[in-house]
Amino acid sequence: FDEGTLKRKRAKEAARSVLPNALGSDGMVTLNARAARHIIEIRSSPHADLSMREFAYEVYKVLKPWWPAVLADAEEVDTGDHVPAIRFSRSKV
């Protein structure tokens, strides 16, 4: 993204975070290894909304001790802010 596009994207993201649909909720999720890898890689991308990037990174941190073999090829990539992107060297489990 160019800088102007990124600023507009971040402004819209900030506006959505204060609207009523940004309220948290409790829930349970089940997923398999392939889905977990997909969610972590896609949603931790620098192009994703910051809140989704934070969520994906937290999912990665929680799953890493539980599934070390599944996440063994994960690489944390510095994005210049406090949330790294996660990249996998293999495309499938």
Side-chain angles (χ1 to χ4, degrees), residues 35-48:
R37 289 169 59 93
H38 177 75
I39 289 168
I40 291 167
E41 187 166 29
I42 297 300
R43 297 301 180 187
S44 71
S45 163
H47 302 292

Side-chain angles (χ1 to χ4, degrees), residues 2-93:
D2 65 35
E3 191 168 326
T5 301
L6 187 58
K7 283 183 180 180
R8 285 190 302 278
K9 181 175 174 37
R10 295 296 180 225
K12 288 178 184 178
E13 177 183 327
R16 282 192 302 270
S17 72
V18 297
L19 297 173
N21 66 349
L23 298 175
S25 62
D26 293 331
M28 180 186 291
V29 176
T30 61
L31 52 122
N32 61 30
R34 184 176 296 158
R37 289 169 59 93
H38 177 75
I39 289 168
I40 291 167
E41 187 166 29
I42 297 300
R43 297 301 180 187
S44 71
S45 163
H47 302 292
D49 285 348
L50 182 58
S51 61
M52 285 307 299
R53 293 177 53 214
E54 292 169 338
F55 172 76
Y57 186 62
E58 289 300 317
V59 168
Y60 168 73
K61 289 191 320 187
V62 168
L63 292 180
K64 190 171 173 96
W66 289 90
W67 278 348
V70 171
L71 301 174
D73 63 330
E75 175 188 359
E76 293 187 25
V77 179
D78 185 18
T79 58
D81 57 19
H82 67 281
V83 184
I86 307 299
R87 297 290 172 258
F88 295 101
S89 59
R90 297 186 323 238
S91 60
K92 295 185 179 179
V93 175

